[in-house]
Amino acid sequence: MTSRLGRFRDLPLFYKLLVPFLLLMLVTGSVGALLIVHDQSTRAQAAVDESLSRRAVDTLSLMHDRELYLVESVSLAANLQGMSAAAAAKDGAQVDHLLTSVAALKQDLSSVVVTDDKGYPIGAYSRLRGTSSTVEPQLVAAALRRPAARAALLTRLDGHVVLAVAVAICADTPCRPTAAAVAAVDVTQLARRIAPPGPGGGSSTVTLFSAAGAPVAAAGSVRLASAPSVSSDIRRTQRTNIGEAATLYTPLVVQGQRVGTLGISIPTGSVSASVRSAALRFAAILFLAMVGVLAIGAYLSRSILRQVHPLVDTSRRLGAGDLTARAPVLGRDELGELAAGVNEMATELEASYATLEQRVIERTADVEQLLRERTDFFTGISHDFRTPLAVVLSQADMLLDPDIPKSPELARDAGRTVKESVTQLLARINDVLEIARAESGSLEIHLEPVRIDRVLGSLADTARTLELTSGVAVTFDVARSLAVVADEARLGQVVLNLLDNAVKYTPRGGEVRVTARADGDSVALRVADTGCGIPAEVGDRVFEPFYRVKGSKPQRQSPSSGLGLALTRRLVEAQQGEIRWEPNDDGGTTFVVTLQRVPAPRQRQSSGPDPATRTPRGAR
Ligand code: ADP
């Protein structure tokens, strides 16, 4: 079952669409044909039965008429005046004479005979052409046995089979039977008379059978070989000389005596033929309908498949990586929508593939940049560490060299040099550690509202010292109430680094301004100088560890590590801020740190900002 289902599943769509359709047609068509043929044959059968019953009624009624005719005739013959005496005297001439008058009145009679009690004819009148013979003694005996009744029999008379009715002829009263009168009709004639007349009975056949079942006469075209022994009506359909015929067999009873069997037949071949032809017609219609369905189904399937095949091809090409593949949209139906959907999907795939490629290029550039930074970082570290270490080593060599005379001044200078180098080395190591901590997110930062004027106030002394040693004027300009979300110590470190750089790269006589201004929800803290500036193409690279702008030199003998801005950016970002630089009109540089603003208390807001411009001295 499953394998058959699997086989069906593997069939091409064309057959899948068509086969169930045809099967359904075949089943419904066959069941319909069977029902119709069955209905037709039932109707035909009923029509045959009805026709047969009608003809049987007509036939039996005519038979009854003939019976009465015979009874009348025989009674007339027996009771004719003078018949009793002539019969008793066995006066054949007189009897013949009397019977001639009976025959004149009863034209349909085949024969009328008066016999003695043994059945020998005394006188007779016969229209049958044949040798005159005795009447069946059994019939005469039966008539004489019951003078009040009549006896009937299918018998042979004058060489013919006849239906004969006999009655006793009485000599006295009460009756003393001396002879019998017998009236007979030829059965062939009888059959003709009782066959139903007119169009209704035209095609039927009436057959008379003897008591033994042998056919003795028939009117009609159907020839029956024998009759079954029946005690009541039975119906049979059998093959005959003219094909199939239905026959109703009924007992032939005359005057209460069973004398034989009556068969009424009608041919049914034409009915069967009409049923057969109806079935054939229906089969032909069914066949034509199936051919029509097959043609329509094939056309529909092909037209559907015409749209499906390009879709399959397109999806195959897309699957193989050809993102330019598109399916033709051949209509507005569901398949058209499907094709449009596939095309849309392919377009999006193509676009996202292009974006992906672009992203890969960008990420590759990022990775290359990171690798470069790493290399620069390690180059910077080794260089920056090597210099102070080399100084310390050379001083140690000098102190350990027994050939160099060590004066107290020399030893003091060497000690100072070693201390400076080690301090410098320690500062570098601390910077590197801080950067590493910031990178790993383990930098200790406590964010809280921090007033900027307080941070700058704590840097006033340092700023003053820088001012004195560099000859560069340092000014702070910040509103007293301005506060940001920050770590106070780390924010101080940030401002100090920027201030230190600004002073370092500004020639004597220049100026450095530190300002803070509210800007919506944030505060922009600016450190602007009138120094040597930074070329625009450097961009954000100034924030990379160990990056130094080519050609830029600190104005004085200030130490340069290339780590200051890298650490500053990480500290700013750790406080959820941003840092950037921009060139000034006078050639200097402004570093801008943006931090989240803490709103001032309400009463302070209503009294308006409280600007406080301070120099480092003022701050102090
Ligand atoms: P350094 O210790 O060398 O100053 P930084 O990381 O602080 O290292 O700065 C990196 C480089 O950026 C410096 O070497 C310098 O070339 C440039 N730079 C920093 N601040 C300024 C500034 N205010 N004016 C001009 N150049 C600057």
Side-chain angles (χ1 to χ4, degrees):
M1 179 74 187
T2 320
S3 73
R4 230 176 269 160
L5 209 69
R7 246 180 279 151
F8 180 76
R9 241 183 259 137
D10 294 341
L11 281 176
L13 200 53
F14 177 75
Y15 295 107
K16 267 191 201 154
L17 289 172
L18 220 57
V19 168
F21 213 26
L22 276 178
L23 280 180
L24 194 69
M25 274 288 298
L26 203 65
V27 170
T28 49
S30 307
V31 171
L34 274 177
L35 287 177
I36 287 177
V37 168
H38 179 258
D39 183 54
Q40 287 260 343
S41 73
T42 311
R43 276 164 194 255
Q45 193 78 32
V48 167
D49 286 348
E50 194 202 327
S51 167
L52 207 55
S53 317
R54 214 172 39 238
R55 284 169 205 189
V57 169
D58 290 348
T59 308
L60 291 174
S61 146
L62 289 168
M63 184 62 214
H64 186 60
D65 177 62
R66 289 293 90 191
E67 183 186 349
L68 286 178
Y69 187 81
L70 275 173
V71 169
E72 253 176 44
S73 304
V74 81
S75 298
L76 178 66
N79 297 314
L80 213 58
Q81 199 173 2
M83 182 61 86
S84 171
K90 293 198 183 351
D91 182 353
Q94 180 61 19
V95 170
D96 281 350
H97 173 70
L98 289 170
L99 290 180
T100 305
S101 61
V102 173
L105 282 170
K106 298 293 180 185
Q107 291 290 325
D108 289 346
L109 279 182
S110 301
S111 187
V112 57
V113 186
V114 172
T115 71
D116 63 9
D117 56 348
K118 300 284 183 297
Y120 291 111
I122 300 168
Y125 181 89
S126 178
R127 293 191 175 95
L128 299 170
R129 266 176 230 110
T131 50
S132 168
S133 57
T134 54
V135 175
E136 177 67 47
Q138 179 196 337
L139 176 67
V140 174
L144 295 182
R145 216 172 22 250
R146 294 192 305 145
R150 282 161 290 272
L153 194 65
L154 269 182
T155 180
R156 290 195 78 81
L157 189 67
D158 300 344
H160 293 263
V161 180
V162 295
L163 172 63
V165 175
V167 68
I169 298 173
C170 301
D172 302 310
T173 309
C175 181
R176 182 174 55 83
T178 53
V182 179
V185 280
D186 182 79
V187 286
T188 308
Q189 189 195 343
L190 176 70
R192 264 191 226 115
R193 292 293 290 228
I194 64 173
S203 60
S204 62
T205 297
V206 169
T207 311
L208 291 169
F209 298 91
S210 66
V216 289
S221 51
V222 179
R223 294 283 165 267
L224 298 173
S226 63
S229 99
V230 292
S231 55
S232 60
D233 295 357
I234 63 162
R235 181 193 178 289
R236 290 256 167 96
T237 300
Q238 58 208 117
R239 292 210 65 79
T240 67
N241 57 319
I242 60 156
E244 211 167 69
T247 305
L248 182 76
Y249 294 96
T250 183
L252 180 59
V253 178
V254 179
Q255 292 300 292
Q257 291 140 68
R258 166 85 190 274
V259 295
T261 303
L262 189 64
I264 302 130
S265 311
I266 53 170
T268 55
S270 63
V271 175
S272 309
S274 82
V275 170
R276 225 179 356 258
S277 84
L280 274 174
R281 266 201 306 277
F282 193 83
I285 289 170
L286 181 69
F287 178 74
L288 285 177
M290 281 181 71
V291 169
V293 165
L294 195 70
I296 293 170
Y299 172 76
L300 285 178
S301 305
R302 289 222 177 281
S303 71
I304 290 169
L305 290 177
R306 241 201 323 274
Q307 296 185 59
V308 171
H309 281 148
L311 266 171
V312 174
D313 284 349
T314 306
S315 63
R316 270 203 199 119
R317 283 174 61 198
L318 285 173
D322 178 6
L323 298 182
T324 57
R326 297 289 182 274
V329 181
L330 298 174
R332 287 190 185 173
D333 57 2
E334 285 81 350
L335 284 171
E337 276 180 30
L338 185 64
V342 167
N343 288 348
E344 208 173 301
M345 188 186 73
T347 308
E348 275 174 22
L349 260 175
E350 208 179 4
S352 70
Y353 187 74
T355 317
L356 206 66
E357 267 187 330
Q358 183 58 35
R359 275 204 205 141
V360 168
I361 290 168
E362 282 170 13
R363 291 285 171 271
T364 309
D366 286 352
V367 169
E368 282 171 0
Q369 165 86 359
L370 275 173
L371 287 173
R372 204 174 50 242
E373 280 176 14
R374 236 171 83 121
T375 311
D376 289 354
F377 183 78
F378 284 113
T379 312
I381 282 186
S382 34
H383 179 263
D384 273 45
F385 283 17
R386 195 184 297 135
T387 310
L389 281 173
V391 171
V392 170
L393 204 61
S394 71
Q395 292 299 316
D397 283 345
M398 189 268 288
L399 289 173
L400 289 172
D401 193 342
D403 296 337
I404 299 174
K406 278 101 185 164
S407 65
E409 289 81 26
L410 188 71
R412 204 168 34 246
D413 284 349
R416 197 182 305 124
T417 308
V418 167
K419 190 183 173 189
E420 276 172 10
S421 296
V422 171
T423 307
Q424 199 182 332
L425 196 59
L426 200 62
R428 298 284 176 283
I429 289 171
N430 280 337
D431 284 350
V432 169
L433 278 175
E434 286 277 83
I435 289 173
R437 277 196 206 105
E439 291 284 343
S440 66
S442 58
L443 210 59
E444 262 192 48
I445 295 280
H446 301 289
L447 293 179
E448 57 188 347
V450 174
R451 276 180 58 175
I452 296 179
D453 59 345
R454 283 179 51 177
V455 174
L456 295 185
S458 68
L459 294 176
D461 285 345
T462 315
R464 179 73 189 139
T465 309
L466 283 172
E467 214 174 27
L468 290 173
T469 53
S470 64
V472 175
V474 178
T475 55
F476 292 168
D477 178 6
V478 60
R480 195 178 294 148
S481 59
L482 211 54
V484 290
V485 176
D487 179 312
E488 192 166 335
R490 296 296 188 183
L491 185 57
Q493 202 178 340
V494 165
V495 178
L496 184 60
N497 278 354
L498 294 175
L499 185 62
D500 187 47
N501 270 358
V503 170
K504 202 159 65 175
Y505 295 101
T506 301
R508 189 170 285 276
E511 193 189 338
V512 172
R513 272 172 67 82
V514 181
T515 60
R517 294 280 180 272
D519 185 8
D521 289 343
S522 55
V523 169
L525 198 148
R526 287 183 159 78
V527 179
D529 62 51
T530 56
C532 61
I534 302 172
E537 66 272 12
V538 170
D540 275 358
R541 293 201 69 191
V542 285
F543 297 111
E544 289 173 15
F546 298 109
Y547 180 81
R548 294 171 180 101
V549 177
K550 261 187 199 150
S552 82
K553 274 199 180 143
Q555 294 298 318
R556 290 155 288 282
Q557 282 301 319
S558 315
S560 165
S561 67
L563 290 172
L565 283 180
L567 180 59
T568 302
R569 183 166 80 170
R570 281 156 181 82
L571 289 175
V572 170
E573 285 170 354
Q575 295 171 82
Q576 295 168 358
E578 284 173 5
I579 184 167
R580 60 189 161 82
W581 69 268
E582 53 196 32
N584 295 339
D585 293 341
D586 55 13
T589 311
T590 299
F591 279 85
V592 186
V593 174
T594 311
L595 289 164
Q596 192 190 333
R597 185 185 172 196
V598 176
R602 208 160 275 238
Q603 65 273 28
R604 304 282 282 179
Q605 267 186 343
S606 59
S607 62
D610 182 12
T613 307
R614 294 179 180 177
T615 61
R617 191 177 287 115
R620 202 178 334 149

